[in-house]
Structure formats: C-alpha cells, structure tokens
C-alpha cells in the first residue's frame, strides 16, 4: 500500500507522529491531492513538496525502526518494571511506560 501524505511528512519529521505535535501545521486537499497549507512549526522547517514526494517505504520503515530503538533504550529493565508494578500497581507502571511512549510516538 502506498504511503499517505501525512506518513511521508512523518518520515521526514518523526516527532510529528504524535497528533499534538501538529500544532501550527495544516494540510488541505487542493483538489489535486493534499498539500501543506500552513507550516509554523518550532522544530522543523517546512519540507518541500519534492522532498515529500521522494519519501519511500524504506524511509518510513527506517523512521519506525528508529522510534522502536529509542523506546527500547529508554524503557526500564524488566526487573525494574516488575518492581514498579509491585510498588505502584499496573496504573503506576502504565504511567511510567507512557512517558517513553509519548516521548517517542509511533510514526
């Protein structure tokens, strides 16, 4: 399946995988496909249409792989996670894990 316009932008700007990070960015369908209508992002400069069009499945897969590696490196060890569950319950553990998931969202 072909990548969507948003997936291509996400491959170029991985932090945009999380919807709350799209503040200041608006995509509109111009009748000939989606285009960036507004781009006022504090971290990323607006990618060109040619850069977006050039994104491949491999680029997207690499972005996905990168977020997985970053998450894996930051998650507590299994022993520490079990200790967290014992002392803080499942909800406490979920909160700990959510911090890392929010920091490195899925593209």
């Amino acid at each position: 399946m072909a990548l969507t316009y948003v997936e291509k932008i996400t491959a170029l700007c991985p932090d945009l995988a999380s919807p709350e990070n799209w503040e200041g960015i608006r995509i509109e369908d111009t009748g000939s496909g989606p285009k960036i209508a507004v781009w006022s992002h504090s971290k990323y400069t607006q990618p060109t249409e040619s850069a977006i069009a050039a994104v491949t499945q491999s680029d997207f897969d690499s972005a996905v792989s990168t977020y997985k590696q970053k998450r894996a490196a930051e998650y507590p060890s299994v022993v520490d996670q079990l200790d967290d569950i014992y002392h803080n319950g499942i909800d406490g553990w979920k909160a700990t894990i959510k911090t890392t998931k929010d920091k490195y969202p899925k593209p």
Side-chain angles (χ1 to χ4, degrees), residues 9-30:
I9 291 173
T10 301
L12 296 170
C13 310
D15 289 347
L16 299 182
S18 185
E20 63 269 10
N21 292 337
W22 280 77
E23 186 174 331
I25 301 170
R26 190 173 74 238
I27 308 297
E28 291 182 356
D29 190 343
T30 61

Side-chain angles (χ1 to χ4, degrees), residues 40-56:
S40 178
H41 196 271
S42 60
K43 182 174 180 180
Y44 294 110
T45 57
Q46 180 175 335
T48 63
E49 289 300 321
S50 60
I52 294 168
V55 172
T56 64

Side-chain angles (χ1 to χ4, degrees), residues 57-74:
Q57 183 68 49
S58 177
D59 297 329
F60 183 75
D61 292 344
S62 177
V64 169
S65 175
T66 300
Y67 99 86
K68 287 180 181 179
Q69 292 167 350
K70 288 179 178 179
R71 278 186 177 183
E74 194 156 319

Side-chain angles (χ1 to χ4, degrees), residues 80-96:
D80 288 342
Q81 289 185 47
L82 290 171
D83 192 55
D84 191 12
I85 292 169
Y86 179 79
H87 290 288
N88 303 309
I90 293 293
D91 289 338
W93 169 77
K94 284 181 179 179
T96 301

